[in-house]
Amino acid sequence: MYDVSVQWRPFLLRPNHPREGVPKPPDTPDNPRVGARMKQMGMAVGIDFTGKCDRAPNTLWGHCLLQHVLETKGAGAQNELQEAIFRGYFTDGLYPDVDNLAALAARVGLDADEARAVLQSGQYEEAVTKEATGYSRGGVSGVPYFIVNGKPVFSGAQDSSAFVSAFKQLATDP
């Protein structure tokens, strides 16, 4: 029906957070790290939002590694890594620091030493920050945000029918 390739582009939710993140308050019944609505929505699509990670992250390193993988291994490998990063943070409670990102890369068959070296080199930081800043200045204010064929389509979690509608519309646009 449609030939789709997914690429993850950077958006920095907390660009001013330090690399080590910011401590979150304790996860308690009166102050859960994951609200009931988000937990329910996640479970409906197979995501277990646990709130285990004790810090709100600065995601620059994650985006830098994703850019490296896109450029060197392609969109499929980038997507596998992104899924591992999501699962690591949202379900397993792994903070996305250099060591955890390298371990997550290894989980999906990538070279952990290469991942670590790329992150420690800082080689993607300027370009990733510039691209993320461009999205923010262009009106993107949260994630997920979907761009199809270079055109902004919608923001927020969407049912598959929303994507089919967008693809149909874009297929008929000149």
Side-chain angles (χ1 to χ4, degrees), residues 59-102:
T59 57
L60 181 60
W61 277 327
H63 289 297
C64 289
L65 185 56
L66 289 167
Q67 184 62 34
H68 171 73
V69 170
L70 177 64
E71 290 180 12
T72 61
K73 307 292 184 195
Q78 185 201 43
N79 193 55
E80 285 183 53
L81 178 59
Q82 179 62 56
E83 292 295 330
I85 292 170
F86 277 170
R87 187 172 41 261
Y89 179 76
F90 289 113
T91 301
D92 302 335
L94 298 176
Y95 185 80
D97 61 17
V98 171
D99 290 335
N100 284 333
L101 288 167

Side-chain angles (χ1 to χ4, degrees), residues 34-155:
V34 180
R37 183 171 181 269
M38 182 147 176
K39 193 148 187 72
Q40 180 182 20
M41 290 176 67
M43 290 305 238
V45 294
I47 302 170
D48 183 12
F49 290 110
T50 64
K52 288 181 181 178
C53 190
D54 64 352
R55 292 175 279 164
N58 174 318
T59 57
L60 181 60
W61 277 327
H63 289 297
C64 289
L65 185 56
L66 289 167
Q67 184 62 34
H68 171 73
V69 170
L70 177 64
E71 290 180 12
T72 61
K73 307 292 184 195
Q78 185 201 43
N79 193 55
E80 285 183 53
L81 178 59
Q82 179 62 56
E83 292 295 330
I85 292 170
F86 277 170
R87 187 172 41 261
Y89 179 76
F90 289 113
T91 301
D92 302 335
L94 298 176
Y95 185 80
D97 61 17
V98 171
D99 290 335
N100 284 333
L101 288 167
L104 291 167
R107 279 190 197 175
V108 297
L110 301 169
D111 185 310
D113 291 332
E114 179 182 340
R116 188 175 285 104
V118 163
L119 294 173
Q120 290 171 337
S121 76
Q123 74 185 77
Y124 290 94
E125 290 181 12
E126 185 178 335
V128 164
T129 300
K130 183 177 179 179
E131 183 178 356
T133 300
Y135 289 127
S136 293
R137 288 185 179 148
V140 177
S141 60
V143 292
Y145 191 89
F146 299 92
I147 300 168
V148 180
N149 291 347
K151 297 178 182 179
V153 179
F154 41 70
S155 180

